[in-house]
Every structure is written in structure tokens, then in C-alpha cells.
Amino acid sequence: LFFTNHVCLSINTEMISKLSIYRMAKTLNWDKIRKTEISLTTHCQALCPLCGRTDPITLKKFDWLPLKHFPFEKLKKTVLDMKIANSKLQIINLCGDYGDPMMHPDIENIIEFLITNKFFVEISTNGGLRDSSWYRKLGEKYHSNKLTITFSIDGIDAETNSKYRIGVDFKKAWNNMIAFSETCFKNSCIWDFIAFTYNLDQLEAAAELANKYNIMLKFKLNDRDWEYQITDSKRIKRYNKFVENYEKR
């Protein structure tokens, strides 16, 4: 999936050759692209109902999706080839379209490799993997704007978060986010909060907690069809008004 200002590469980029990268560069005006998204893995402990890897009926991983990690050595080669094709490439986003990046066994080496090669690194995770000590050390090691981690947590308690983030240990995810926020560079810890019908009353409490722990909080209104999608116009208006006021603070 390609965008105007960045390009998203699936885990199948392990098959990309140097020639195909140069062809892609020529076709996509690669010199104008500043950001690349790379899916590192299809492994994930979560079974979020609206995720592309989850069968909404069985709430299990789709059978057609193989479990695999993007090999580290092939990743390095792909990234370096992209860098040669476009010297202006600045940001690598390790996204979780079909898996959580923190499931990758070489995630620490990947982060170090990318930052060493002067990339800004963005990571999206459900937060429930690894432990608070690991995140605290990560924040200390890369205490700069070179590393940003977004924690997808949709509630302020386990019961609320588990309605969508099925299989995620809320306590671990919360403690990991707080640990990273305590040692990372300013605004490098981001809390991604998706609003559903059942957590709409927690927006203010979430804002207060984010302020307490110096976490950048970003609200999103779920617009996908689900039993907990907010469709009532009054509630949507209420949500929009809250977010508008929150962003002015």
C-alpha cells in the first residue's frame, strides 16, 4: 500500500530485490518519500476483533496468515538499499498491521541498527509484551527524539481495555508505558486511545493520567463497523467537543 508521502511495506519485503527497490523508487517519486512503514512480524498475542489478522467470527488468527518474522539480515539489506535509492528517507515506522513489532526476537537489534543508520524510529505496540525493566532501559538508552513508541491502550482499567484488546495483559501494558515515559525523551511516549461506546466516559480520566505521567495522549474515534462503534450523533458530538477542548490545553 503506497501513499504520497510515505510507503508501507508488508512483511513480504524480505523478497524485495535491490532492482525492484530502484524500480519502485522511479515509479513512486521515491525522492519525495520521507517515511516508510515496515511490518516486522505476523506474531501477536492479541486478538483484537477489528484487526486484519483476526477472524471476527472465531476471534482467532485467520488460517491464511502464516506466522513469520522478517529476518533481521534481510531487513538490514532492504533498509540500506532503500537508503541508497533515497538519501532523504528519514523515518522508519515499525507498524503492527498483522502482528506486534515487540514480538520480533531481534527488535532490540533492529532499533539499534536503524538509529545507528540515522533513522527516526516509530513503533506501535499493544504494550503487553516484554516488561517494564526492558522499556525503562530502552528509554534510557535512546533518550532522544530518535525513538518514539505508541502504546495502544483503550481504557484506564483491565476490564475496559480487554473488550477490544483481547489477550493483552492490561497491567503489564500500563506498567510498560509508564516505565518508558519515565526515561524516554519528551513526547516520545504516545498513548493511542480508540474511543468506543464503552470507554467514552473514561476520556477525561485518561487525559488526567496522561498529564500526570507526561505522556502524549491521542484520541481516535473508531469508524469501523462493530457492536461498540459510536453511531449516535449526540455522543459523537460530545466526543469531538471533548477532543477539541483537550487539544487546546
Side-chain angles (χ1 to χ4, degrees), residues 7 30 41 46 51-53 57 90 94 129 139 142 146 154 165 178 202 208 225-226:
V7 55
W30 185 255
T41 180
C51 178
R53 77 190 301 277
I57 297 177
Q90 299 175 338
L94 304 178
L129 297 161
Y142 302 109
K146 288 287 187 179
D154 311 314
R165 305 289 170 181
I178 299 305
Q202 295 188 351
E208 292 176 359
D225 185 30
W226 193 38

Side-chain angles (χ1 to χ4, degrees), residues 66-202:
L67 290 174
K68 58 193 297 189
H69 298 300
F70 196 150
F72 181 39
E73 292 303 317
K74 292 183 178 180
L75 173 69
K76 289 196 292 185
K77 182 179 184 303
T78 298
V79 170
L80 292 177
D81 285 345
M82 288 193 295
K83 188 176 182 181
I84 292 172
N86 176 15
S87 62
K88 295 180 181 179
L89 185 62
Q90 299 175 338
I91 305 170
I92 302 292
N93 181 285
L94 304 178
C95 56
D97 288 340
Y98 293 102
D100 195 295
M102 295 306 182
M103 290 287 279
H104 199 293
D106 291 313
I107 186 62
E108 289 182 76
N109 293 329
I110 291 171
I111 294 171
E112 183 172 8
F113 165 75
L114 294 174
I115 291 179
T116 299
N117 281 276
K118 304 187 184 306
F119 287 107
F120 291 90
V121 180
E122 300 174 347
I123 304 178
S124 297
T125 177
N126 61 54
L129 297 161
R130 302 177 186 271
D131 57 34
S132 57
S133 175
W134 187 86
Y135 280 94
R136 188 171 290 107
K137 291 178 181 177
L138 197 66
E140 291 172 347
K141 184 175 182 179
Y142 302 109
H143 189 77
S144 71
N145 64 344
K146 288 287 187 179
L147 176 64
T148 298
I149 299 181
T150 295
F151 295 82
S152 298
I153 301 177
D154 311 314
I156 61 171
D157 55 67
E159 181 181 0
T160 304
N161 189 61
S162 65
K163 278 184 167 52
Y164 181 67
R165 305 289 170 181
I166 299 172
V168 176
D169 184 328
F170 171 79
K171 184 177 181 180
K172 177 178 284 189
W174 183 260
N175 288 339
N176 287 345
M177 180 171 69
I178 299 305
F180 185 68
S181 73
E182 291 174 343
T183 59
C184 72
F185 192 72
K186 181 180 180 181
N187 295 331
S188 293
C189 182
I190 301 174
W191 177 3
D192 193 35
F193 188 114
I194 302 178
F196 299 101
T197 56
Y198 57 80
N199 63 11
L200 195 58
D201 292 331
Q202 295 188 351

